[in-house]
Structures are given as C-alpha cells and as structure tokens.
Amino acid sequence: MDLNFISEYYMPMVLTASFIIGYVIKKSLDFIPNKYIPLILAVCGAFMGCILNKQINLESIISGAFSGLASTGLHQTFTRLVEGEKYGEL
C-alpha cells in the first residue's frame, strides 16, 4: 500500500501552530479534558488550512485537519523522547 499521497496534505505552518495551541491547552487550560484536544486541533487546523489556502474547499479543510491531528502525534513523540519512555509503556 502506497501512502505517499499523505504528504500532499501535510501543512507545516498548520502543524506548528496546532502543536503550540495543543501545548497551551494541555499545560494551562485544566478545565478542558485531554480527550477533546485532538478534536479542537482538528477544527483549528481545518480553519487555518482554509486561511492559508485562501479558499474554502474540501482539500483545504482536509489538509488543515490532517495537520492539526498530526500535531497530537508529534506532541506524543516529543514527550516520549524527552521523558525517555518507550512506546507501549505507561
């Protein structure tokens, strides 16, 4: 299965901005449960994707949402590397 098409939907600016938004939500807004952070970042990413592409269409929404969700994975990877935990351990 070829997954190279995923790289077409990757938006570095949205990924970085979503990473920062997610970090701020996680560290300072304790009233928001962690389970809602990916949803918030997907919506924010879709919004930012439309702004960066200067048009509202399905491709902009999907690209932004994908990058917003990817930032949650980036956060988890970064956290595991910094804290020295291995995947699968709690």
Side-chain angles (χ1 to χ4, degrees), residues 2-22:
D2 186 25
L3 297 176
N4 289 331
F5 70 94
I6 291 176
S7 65
E8 295 175 19
Y9 295 110
Y10 170 68
M11 299 177 78
M13 298 274 294
V14 174
L15 180 77
T16 305
S18 296
F19 182 80
I20 293 168
I21 292 169

Side-chain angles (χ1 to χ4, degrees), residues 16-28 37 40-41 71-72 75:
T16 305
S18 296
F19 182 80
I20 293 168
I21 292 169
Y23 184 81
V24 168
I25 291 171
K26 184 156 181 76
K27 295 297 180 183
S28 64
I37 294 175
I40 292 167
L41 295 180
S71 70
T72 60
H75 177 267

